[in-house]
């Protein structure tokens, strides 16, 4: 996904959100290799990450629908 297509309300970095309470930002090199992780304990940023998760889930495409339109498989069973 290009930066132009990226939803404006979502961050441009990867993160893990554990139990809706612990936030860990993940950083990667230009080649995609893992660089570092940062534990973020600012309560405002944790709340913001919960919001991002909810926005992403609301915008998500179910896997079977994605597979039907993007994968080279003629049929996804299930």
């Amino acid at each position: 996904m290009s930066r132009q297509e990226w939803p404006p309300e979502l961050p441009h970095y990867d993160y893990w959100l554990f139990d809706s309470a612990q936030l860990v930002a993940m950083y990667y090199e230009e080649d995609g290799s893992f660089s570092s992780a940062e534990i973020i304990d600012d309560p405002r940023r944790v709340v913001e990450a919960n919001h991002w998760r909810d926005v992403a889930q609301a915008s998500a495409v179910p896997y079977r629908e994605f597979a039907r339109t993007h994968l080279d498989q003629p049929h996804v069973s299930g």
Side-chain angles (χ1 to χ4, degrees):
M1 176 179 287
S2 72
R3 287 208 177 256
Q4 291 81 18
E5 297 174 307
W6 195 263
E9 62 273 16
L10 295 180
H12 287 274
Y13 65 87
D14 191 14
Y15 67 93
W16 285 84
L17 182 63
F18 298 97
D19 298 327
S20 300
Q22 295 179 318
L23 177 61
V24 180
M26 309 294 286
Y27 301 104
Y28 299 88
E29 300 295 337
E30 287 295 319
D31 66 1
S33 62
F34 177 73
S35 173
S36 65
E38 173 188 10
I39 297 172
I40 299 173
D41 56 9
D42 178 348
R44 290 174 295 186
R45 293 197 52 201
V46 173
V47 168
E48 185 176 47
N50 277 276
H51 169 73
W52 294 333
R53 179 210 49 219
D54 295 344
V55 168
Q57 285 180 336
S59 303
V61 175
Y63 174 75
R64 285 189 172 83
E65 181 180 331
F66 173 84
R68 278 194 298 273
T69 59
H70 292 87
L71 300 180
D72 293 329
Q73 300 174 3
H75 175 72
V76 176
S77 63

